[in-house]
Amino acid sequence: MKNKITIIGAGMVGSCAAYSLITSNVTEEIALIDLDKDLVKAEVMDLQHSVPFWGYTKVKVGTYADLRDSKLVVISCGVAQKPGETRINLTKKNSEIIKDVVPRVFKNNPDVILLMITNPVDILTYQVVKMFPRKKRRIIGSGTILDSARFRFLLGEYLGVNPQSVHAYIIGEHGDSELPLWSTATIGGTSIDNFKGMNQREKDSIFEKAKNAAYAIIEGKQATYYAIAAGVVQIADTILHDERKVLPISHYFDGELGIKDICLSSPVVLGREGIVSKIDISGISLEEKTLLCESAKKLKKIAKNL
Ligand code: NAD
């Protein structure tokens, strides 16, 4: 079977993810699906013309039949945030779209791994798990992989270290109730506090900037897409090549830290079959545990009204 990816939703995020996948040569074939036929046709032509510069990826306008030989489906269709709008505001519209799209995905390929990008990503990942509970290890959301990248970038800048050497996570909701894990943040095996003393004000400022980055970007250019596209590449590469990287992504909680029956992010080991195992984060601080439970509580309240 080919390492093929189908992307549903060829807007800013979907087409940018396709471009990033082409430049990384992680997949032989990408099929792009969108309700807007003119848009998807034009995006595919433009993407195809980049292939000679990058490598070998075949790119095509897809249909749901393309799922049959796809290993991964990326869901990036639906409405996006407007300036000042929260992700949660998108719940009603996007959950209707997901209700329509996802059964068609699994009808064509019951084994495909589903990566939710559409917001609110935790709520929609949960919605898909509730629709197909037996597939919960194969249903994931990008969750706080993006927030963690923003956090690591800002920390790297502040500390003068390459962000790839900053091991730090944001977990919980991909949104306003997310939290930073200062208690487990390390550089070169030493705690961030040990590396360079930071006071609480400095820490809060870095976290707030990471948390509110999407609002700032959307204010300036209506959408965010480059960084999430890079996140899609990392997740896709990990799955297609069974790399078993540890990534903070949204998944179903089944009693971990007392949190049950909701999706939100914490680090997991990811491989060809989806979630291989979950990292035990019970060693985080009491304050972090409380914040994570509050984040879960907030999401559960919204999910109840789906
Ligand atoms: P966009 O408006 O540019 O693209 C959305 C596309 O979905 C449009 O082309 C539209 O025609 C298509 N679409 C709508 N309904 C469809 C359906 N039923 N089937 C197929 N296609 C359909 O929006 P965008 O900027 O690409 O954002 C897409 C989603 O990704 C939004 O919900 C946004 O909030 C989310 N997003 C998530 C993250 C994250 O970190 N998880 C980051 C950025 C954006």
Side-chain angles (χ1 to χ4, degrees):
M1 198 177 180
K2 282 184 286 197
N3 271 334
K4 176 174 169 182
I5 300 176
T6 296
I7 300 177
I8 306 179
M12 296 311 299
V13 171
S15 54
C16 200
Y19 182 68
S20 303
L21 288 163
I22 291 168
T23 64
S24 322
N25 286 312
V26 298
T27 175
E28 294 109 278
E29 187 170 343
I30 300 170
L32 270 164
I33 298 176
D34 199 288
L35 280 186
D36 186 335
K37 299 291 171 234
D38 292 336
L39 173 84
V40 69
K41 200 170 145 200
E43 287 292 5
V44 164
M45 275 174 73
D46 201 7
L47 288 163
Q48 284 171 335
H49 302 162
S50 80
V51 174
F53 295 102
W54 294 116
Y56 52 80
T57 314
K58 185 176 169 203
V59 192
K60 60 182 276 204
V61 174
T63 68
Y64 280 82
D66 279 288
L67 282 153
R68 289 178 199 154
D69 60 348
S70 292
K71 279 202 180 141
L72 176 69
V73 59
V74 178
I75 309 279
S76 50
C77 55
V79 290
Q81 288 164 271
K82 296 194 177 58
E85 194 177 27
T86 68
R87 297 174 178 96
I88 295 298
N89 265 1
L90 310 172
T91 304
K92 199 169 178 311
K93 264 198 180 148
N94 285 345
S95 78
E96 289 303 320
I97 291 173
I98 295 309
K99 244 184 247 169
D100 168 54
V101 164
V102 170
R104 292 200 264 165
V105 167
F106 286 127
K107 192 176 164 205
N108 279 283
N109 184 348
D111 294 325
V112 76
I113 296 190
L114 185 145
L115 170 61
M116 181 65 67
I117 305 292
T118 303
N119 276 317
V121 66
D122 303 293
I123 299 288
L124 299 181
T125 306
Y126 176 74
Q127 183 183 0
V128 180
V129 170
K130 293 316 267 186
M131 290 164 83
F132 298 93
R134 293 221 310 265
K135 302 183 194 297
K136 59 177 182 259
R137 292 190 94 80
R138 307 175 82 83
I139 298 167
I140 56 175
S142 58
T144 56
I145 197 169
L146 176 56
D147 318 72
S148 298
R150 289 170 173 154
F151 190 45
R152 290 165 59 213
F153 167 75
L154 292 164
L155 277 168
E157 272 217 318
Y158 185 81
L159 300 170
V161 174
N162 185 316
Q164 289 197 335
S165 298
V166 177
H167 300 285
Y169 296 105
I170 285 179
I171 62 167
E173 177 196 4
H174 169 56
D176 299 341
S177 72
E178 66 190 27
L179 59 134
L181 286 187
W182 291 110
S183 64
T184 59
T186 58
I187 292 179
T190 194
S191 75
I192 280 212
D193 284 332
N194 234 4
F195 182 82
K196 181 180 174 182
M198 289 166 79
N199 63 36
Q200 198 53 46
R201 203 170 43 84
E202 290 163 325
K203 285 182 174 174
D204 290 347
S205 156
I206 285 177
F207 168 59
E208 288 297 320
K209 266 194 203 150
K211 183 173 82 170
N212 295 322
Y215 292 117
I217 296 168
I218 290 168
E219 196 65 48
K221 59 167 205 169
Q222 277 73 55
T224 78
Y225 35 89
Y226 295 128
I228 186 59
V232 169
V233 173
Q234 188 174 48
I235 294 170
D237 201 17
T238 306
I239 291 169
L240 298 183
H241 302 109
D242 199 28
E243 284 181 355
R244 303 191 171 221
K245 280 200 181 119
V246 175
L247 302 175
I249 53 169
S250 191
H251 62 279
Y252 187 76
F253 271 58
D254 208 0
E256 297 86 357
L257 294 179
I259 298 169
K260 206 174 165 52
D261 195 29
I262 191 65
C263 288
L264 66 171
S265 289
S266 70
V268 301
V269 180
L270 203 58
R272 202 194 318 277
E273 305 302 325
I275 295 173
V276 178
S277 63
K278 302 183 184 189
I279 303 294
D280 177 3
I281 55 163
S282 56
I284 63 175
S285 74
L286 196 61
E287 191 194 348
E288 290 164 350
K289 274 183 203 163
T290 309
L291 287 172
L292 183 64
C293 290
E294 277 169 16
S295 187
K297 222 162 120 187
K298 171 192 168 183
L299 289 169
K300 281 186 94 152
K301 220 167 136 187
I302 296 154
K304 229 171 101 180
N305 296 326
L306 273 181

